[in-house]
């Protein structure tokens, strides 16, 4: 087994870690590496999206229930977990949308939220950091802020002149953006379901896809083979029972089809302080050589 390496993945809300890259994290844990999930907010503003959980006693205790769900998902994946401690900004609706309230994650000064993540980075000392792209994966204000904080922390954590109160400097070696919502992937699954005489949940979604919008798959540099961990990923996702309807399209594609057509989770390498060759099949490519040199 390779020497133990450390991976940190930073997310906006509880459940994001299970819907974005969970099989990757489960694979690296199984291989003996250390993985930490950082969740920036408590998900307090999330709606109850599973009808079976839409009950008054759940709504009244949603923040605590979401913490319990996150703990269960982390246990299933085998990852370490840290709350960054900020308040869910919610997803404003309207045209134009109303301003975000004060005191939430997306309106907290960037310096303040970056300092909190730098503390965790310097404590855990990850070799690789994963976050969302500049669009947040989708334009939720907390996802966009998560991107901004993660990139700022990647740059600041190794600088002894920045946030000296946040611990001994530590410089991660690689920064990735995760890319999961690919039109190409969705189309493959859609066609596979129809070919097998099954109902596809993706038809309307594909029909509404803005053809002028580039497919995030075009940005992918790194495909991590993790099909053996798809079931573990789905179990972690179902642990977020208030957010995930077990009858939803998250589980519409049988695992055998997924393993056959798209057995990877996909990433974009955006910063590297080690030598690596693209395309990659390992987030730690080049890291092992650097760490053990």
């Amino acid at each position: 087994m390779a020497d133990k390496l450390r991976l940190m993945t930073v997310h906006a809300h509880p459940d994001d870690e299970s819907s974005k890259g969970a099989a990757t994290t489960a694979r690296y844990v199984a291989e003996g590496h250390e993985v930490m999930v950082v969740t920036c907010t408590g998900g307090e503003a999330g709606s109850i999206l599973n009808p079976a959980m839409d009950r008054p006693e759940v709504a009244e205790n949603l923040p605590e229930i979401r913490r319990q769900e996150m703990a269960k998902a982390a246990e299933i994946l085998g990852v370490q977990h840290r709350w960054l401690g900020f308040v869910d900004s919610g997803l404003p609706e309207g045209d134009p949308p109303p301003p975000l309230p004060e005191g939430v994650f997306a309106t907290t000064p960037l310096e303040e939220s970056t300092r909190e993540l730098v503390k965790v980075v310097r404590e855990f000392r990850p070799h690789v950091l994963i976050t969302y792209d500049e669009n947040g994966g989708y334009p939720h204000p907390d996802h966009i802020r998560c991107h901004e904080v993660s990139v700022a922390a990647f740059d600041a954590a190794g600088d002894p002149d920045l946030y000296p109160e946040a611990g001994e400097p530590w410089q991660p070696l690689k920064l990735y953006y995760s890319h999961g919502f690919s039109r190409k992937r969705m189309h493959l699954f859609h066609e596979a379901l129809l070919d097998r005489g099954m109902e596809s949940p993706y038809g309307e979604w594909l029909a509404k896809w803005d053809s002028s919008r580039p497919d995030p798959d075009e940005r992918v540099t790194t495909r991590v083979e993790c099909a053996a961990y798809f079931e573990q990923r789905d179990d972690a996702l179902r642990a977020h029972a208030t957010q995930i309807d077990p009858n939803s399209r998250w589980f519409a594609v049988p695992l055998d089809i997924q393993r056959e057509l798209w057995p990877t989770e996909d990433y974009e390498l955006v910063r590297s302080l080690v030598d690596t060759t693209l395309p990659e099949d390992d987030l730690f490519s080049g890291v092992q050589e650097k760490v053990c040199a």
Side-chain angles (χ1 to χ4, degrees):
M1 185 182 71
D3 288 347
K4 183 179 290 189
L5 299 172
R6 294 180 297 277
L7 170 68
M8 175 180 286
T9 178
V10 186
H11 293 279
H13 310 108
D15 77 60
D16 288 327
E17 85 298 327
S18 296
S19 61
K20 304 168 187 66
T24 299
T25 57
R27 169 190 155 170
Y28 283 122
V29 169
E31 291 179 352
H33 301 298
E34 292 188 62
V35 179
M36 176 176 283
V37 168
V38 177
T39 308
C40 294
T41 81
E44 301 89 348
S47 302
I48 298 175
L49 302 177
N50 179 1
M53 295 292 289
D54 195 2
R55 307 190 301 270
E57 68 273 19
V58 174
E60 291 168 5
N61 297 288
L62 187 59
E64 178 55 31
I65 290 172
R66 295 208 72 181
R67 293 183 74 87
Q68 295 169 5
E69 292 172 343
M70 182 65 239
K72 183 177 180 181
E75 182 179 4
I76 290 168
L77 295 173
V79 300
Q80 301 175 48
H81 179 253
R82 188 69 57 85
W83 297 100
L84 209 58
F86 294 98
V87 175
D88 188 344
S89 305
L91 185 60
E93 297 181 358
D95 189 16
L100 292 170
E102 291 299 315
V104 298
F105 181 49
T107 58
T108 297
L110 182 60
E111 181 178 329
E112 181 179 333
S113 44
T114 299
R115 179 187 299 110
E116 294 308 306
L117 183 55
V118 166
K119 287 180 185 177
V120 182
V121 169
R122 289 178 175 173
E123 178 183 337
F124 182 65
R125 298 161 68 89
H127 300 99
V128 174
L129 185 70
I130 305 173
T131 189
Y132 313 139
D133 68 12
E134 65 280 0
N135 300 309
Y138 80 105
H140 187 296
D142 284 339
H143 282 244
I144 294 171
R145 196 56 153 181
C146 180
H147 159 81
E148 295 169 342
V149 169
S150 300
V151 173
F154 181 90
D155 291 336
D159 188 337
D161 295 328
L162 295 176
Y163 309 112
E165 73 285 2
E168 291 296 317
W170 174 262
Q171 180 59 60
L173 298 175
K174 298 175 86 174
L175 173 67
Y176 287 93
Y177 298 158
S178 61
H179 289 298
F181 296 103
S182 158
R183 186 186 189 283
K184 180 180 177 182
R185 177 175 177 270
M186 197 184 308
H187 185 264
L188 272 177
F189 289 164
H190 175 70
E191 293 296 322
L193 291 171
L194 297 182
D195 288 346
R196 290 163 173 79
M198 303 170 69
E199 186 175 343
S200 170
Y202 301 120
E204 184 179 356
W205 201 350
L206 287 165
K208 291 182 177 180
W209 190 283
D210 182 357
S211 59
S212 66
R213 174 184 163 198
D215 189 338
D217 188 63
E218 297 173 5
R219 297 174 56 169
V220 168
T221 63
T222 309
R223 300 186 191 274
V224 178
E225 166 72 56
C226 50
Y229 303 93
F230 284 175
E231 188 170 0
Q232 197 171 344
R233 171 204 66 192
D234 287 358
D235 286 345
L237 196 53
R238 280 187 285 263
H240 293 282
T242 59
Q243 304 300 299
I244 304 297
D245 182 349
N247 299 310
S248 69
R249 64 184 168 203
W250 287 110
F251 310 105
V253 184
L255 291 182
D256 63 324
I257 295 178
Q258 294 185 47
R259 289 175 174 137
E260 175 188 348
L261 296 181
W262 206 285
T264 64
E265 289 178 336
D266 306 326
Y267 303 88
E268 176 187 359
L269 178 62
V270 289
R271 306 271 181 86
S272 182
L273 302 180
V274 299
D275 293 332
T276 188
T277 301
L278 301 181
E280 301 173 316
D281 61 5
D282 183 0
L283 299 176
F284 289 131
S285 178
V287 173
Q288 185 77 40
E289 296 81 358
K290 177 76 170 181
V291 171
C292 298

